[in-house]
């Protein structure tokens, strides 16, 4: 293996900038290949030996695991029937328990939960590496549920029907084999199934292209085809949607990552909704909600991208277009989310990346709004308790220093009943939160949050961790993390959260400002924050570390190769790095809307300028880097991290590598493994940035 790596290193120098066919590390893309896995085990062993030998590692892992396993965490709940359900993992139940309680019981400090499904026992009995992926129970009775179980934590899952009152899987119930499926209830005896039906049934992105209607008692092979998308689509799916006493059967055809066509079942026929592909459609009671991603003229009015418009679904289908505007963005505001109760729609609005709430109701046939009193300078999320029968909703508030709280709120009132309060995992009194704005290369003001001690010395020598993402219209908002507090802040670190272009903090326009050929704007923004931190005396390059995952891992790769002088340590998680081949690996083809198509010369001309794997240079001085990925990540191919690390190591760069063998794109399969990886990352950062 050593000989092979040395030979590959020599080849790499000659292969810079050449086609993927000349890639000397292409063999590492064979995810389960014998040679590749042997290589992974060797690199893991080296990293474990080094990092776990660092003085700070053992205590860091203990502190992080204590937070993850704490019984005082808030159990997130979902109302199913008359009870409230929660999925819970701790030291005694590493794979987890699906359990339930009444609301009165949940209100208690120590509820008496009733176990519905013990995943550890199920995995042991069935000799499977099951990881919970969620449950969906059919309305109105909600006595039958579809449970998704993943082998090891990837996106692909087995879907099995569960008898909720009997607390067991149905022996003759619905079962959809392992795949990246979208399986939803049409009614109690009918499923909409989009899955891998064999050759030709998947899109280029690896998602289902065909939707079928599967009746109880039929073999899956006999299910009737409802819709077939195109090979070039992202995916298709169908769903039966229940909202505020209304039911809709909908087929969604994802024609690209940011556009879709919608088909609505009317009188037994599927009718295509008359709307542009960039307009997202959803439903609230009798109302059709429309959110354009681009400026849109409808009903004789010009509506900005990111607006939220409402019209009765029946009126829209009849050709009427007199929509009501429930939200219109401004220079500082964007729509963060919405939740529909029986009679109200609660909107979360981001105003300079801080949350506020607006409540809408229909009074005498017209929409009326009112602001909802809520804390500022933090993040609010809301979800309906039961959109068919109740105007109650769950209200969650958090910021970097305020432990998350969960309350029961009621449409029409500002009163809230506290239900749960997360404990303080660290003493927040010495710290403060500040928001600053860096000036990017083109003059754009880019916001970022800083969490630091009130008495922080502005001498540039504070160990500082800057986190970023900047893609797919994803907004990064303030959040409370006991792990961050214990492992970083309490030990003297400064934490920074960057809100760069490509994200959704200021709506679709903020995202599109860094789309495709404009991608460099995101990298300009992130590097401008690094320079602003140095200018303010918070951290110079010697004391600044950065971290990001997935698209944020690509961001880390670009910072590593194009801006190495600005940072001293990089944590690069589940990253995209080889942008020459990203569209050929796993779900990569679905992201060409975001990055462009590297097989098109015009697109490759701008992609190649930042693609990290193609921009490694022999003799360059790079900051110390830790690459972390997962063998079972079936979204972002682990080959990205494998190849980048191998190439940099062969050049003598200061790099480390860890690939977990369980867990998918999002997280490890157990708290113990999650704590190990987090401790590894923080120990690495402390070693480099002190």
């Amino acid at each position: 293996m050593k000989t092979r790596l040395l030979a590959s290193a020599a080849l790499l120098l000659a292969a810079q900038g050449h086609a993927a066919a000349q890639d000397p590390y292409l063999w590492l893309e064979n995810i389960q290949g014998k040679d590749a896995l042997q290589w992974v085990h060797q690199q893991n062993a080296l990293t474990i030996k080094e990092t776990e030998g660092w003085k700070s590692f053992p205590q860091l892992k203990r502190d992080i695991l204590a937070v993850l396993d704490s019984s005082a965490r808030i159990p997130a709940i979902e109302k199913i029937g008359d009870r409230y359900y929660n999925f819970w993992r701790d030291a005694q139940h590493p794979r987890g328990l699906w359990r339930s309680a009444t609301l009165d019981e949940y209100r208690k400090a120590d509820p008496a939960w009733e176990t519905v499904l013990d995943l550890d026992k199920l995995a042991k009995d069935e000799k499977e590496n099951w990881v919970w992926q969620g449950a969906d129970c059919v309305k109105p009775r909600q006595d039958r549920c579809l449970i998704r179980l993943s082998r090891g934590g990837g996106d692909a899952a087995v879907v099995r029907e569960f008898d909720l009152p009997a607390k067991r899987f149905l022996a003759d119930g619905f079962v959809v084999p392992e795949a990246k499926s979208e399986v939803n209830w049409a009614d109690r005896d009918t499923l909409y199934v989009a899955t891998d039906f064999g050759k030709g049934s998947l899109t280029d992105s690896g998602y289902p292209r065909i939707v079928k209607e599967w009746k109880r008692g039929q073999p899956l092979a006999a299910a009737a085809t409802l819709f077939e998308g195109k090979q070039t689509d992202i995916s298709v799916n169908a769903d039966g949607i229940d909202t505020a006493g209304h039911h809709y059967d909908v087929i969604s055809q994802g024609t690209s990552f940011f556009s879709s066509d919608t088909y609505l079942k009317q009188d037994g026929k599927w009718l295509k909704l008359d709307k542009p592909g960039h307009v997202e459609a959803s439903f609230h009671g009798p109302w059709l909600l429309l959110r354009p991603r681009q400026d849109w003229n409808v009903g004789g009015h010009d509506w900005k991208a990111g607006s939220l418009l409402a019209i009765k679904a029946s009126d829209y289908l009849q050709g009427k277009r007199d929509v009501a505007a429930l939200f219109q963005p401004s220079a500082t505001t964007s729509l963060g989310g919405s939740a529909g109760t029986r009679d109200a729609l609660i909107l979360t609005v981001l105003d300079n990346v801080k949350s506020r709430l607006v409540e809408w109701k229909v009074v005498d046939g017209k929409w009326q709004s009112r602001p909802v009193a809520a804390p500022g300078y933090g993040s609010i999320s809301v979800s309906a308790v039961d959109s068919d029968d109740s105007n109650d909703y769950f209200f969650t508030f958090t910021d970097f220093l305020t432990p998350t709280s969960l309350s029961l709120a009621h449409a029409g009132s500002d009163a809230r009943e506290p239900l749960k309060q997360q404990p303080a995992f660290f003493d927040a009194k010495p710290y403060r939160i500040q928001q600053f704005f860096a000036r990017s290369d083109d003059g754009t003001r880019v916001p970022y949050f800083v969490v630091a001690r009130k008495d922080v010395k502005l001498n540039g020598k504070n160990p500082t961790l800057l986190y970023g993402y900047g893609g797919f219209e994803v907004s990064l908002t303030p959040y409370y993390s006991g792990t961050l507090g214990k492992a970083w802040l309490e030990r003297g670190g400064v934490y920074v959260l960057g809100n760069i272009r490509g994200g959704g903090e200021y709506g679709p326009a903020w995202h599109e400002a860094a789309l495709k050929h404009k991608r460099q704007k995101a990298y300009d923004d992130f590097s401008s924050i690094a320079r602003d931190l140095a200018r303010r005396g918070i951290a110079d390059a010697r004391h600044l570390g950065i971290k990001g995952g997935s698209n944020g891992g690509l961001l880390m790769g670009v910072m590593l190769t194009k801006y190495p002088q600005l940072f001293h340590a990089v944590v690069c998680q589940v990253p995209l790095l080889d942008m020459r081949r990203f569209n050929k690996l796993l779900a990569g083809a679905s992201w060409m809307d975001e990055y462009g198509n590297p097989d098109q010369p015009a697109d490759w001309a701008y992609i190649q300028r930042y693609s990290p794997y193609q921009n490694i240079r022999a003799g360059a001085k790079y900051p110390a880097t830790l690459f972390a990925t997962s063998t079972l990540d079936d979204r972002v191919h682990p080959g990205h991290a494998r190849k980048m690390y191998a190439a940099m190591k062969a050049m003598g760069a200061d790099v480390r590598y860890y690939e977990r063998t369980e867990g998918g794109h999002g997280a490890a399969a157990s708290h113990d493994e999650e704590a190990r990886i987090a401790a590894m990352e923080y120990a690495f950062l402390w070693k480099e940035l002190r």
Side-chain angles (χ1 to χ4, degrees), residues 440-516:
S440 194
D441 293 11
D442 63 357
T444 300
R445 295 175 77 240
V446 181
Y448 66 95
F449 292 97
V450 174
V451 188
R453 289 186 63 89
K454 297 171 185 175
D455 60 356
V456 63
K457 294 180 180 179
L458 299 180
N459 58 8
K461 299 185 184 304
N462 304 288
T464 299
L465 175 59
L466 167 59
Y467 186 88
Y469 186 79
F472 296 95
E473 205 179 330
V474 173
S475 302
L476 299 185
T477 58
Y479 64 97
Y480 185 84
S481 168
T483 294
L484 177 69
K486 295 295 293 182
W488 193 248
L489 296 177
E490 277 194 347
R491 286 170 163 80
V494 174
Y495 182 69
V496 181
L497 185 71
N499 302 116
I500 65 177
R501 281 175 285 184
E505 289 86 350
Y506 293 110
W510 195 247
H511 168 237
E512 293 202 5
L515 205 59
K516 292 186 176 179

Side-chain angles (χ1 to χ4, degrees), residues 306-352:
S307 298
L308 183 66
L309 312 173
I311 184 172
K312 281 196 172 179
S314 57
D315 288 348
Y316 195 86
L317 291 171
Q318 292 170 16
K320 297 179 182 178
R321 295 296 183 266
D322 51 337
V323 298
L326 305 187
F327 176 79
Q328 297 183 73
S330 70
T332 63
T333 62
S334 66
L335 182 62
S338 65
T341 70
R342 184 188 61 207
D343 301 308
L345 192 65
I346 316 295
L347 304 186
T348 306
V349 176
L350 290 183
D351 194 341
N352 271 327

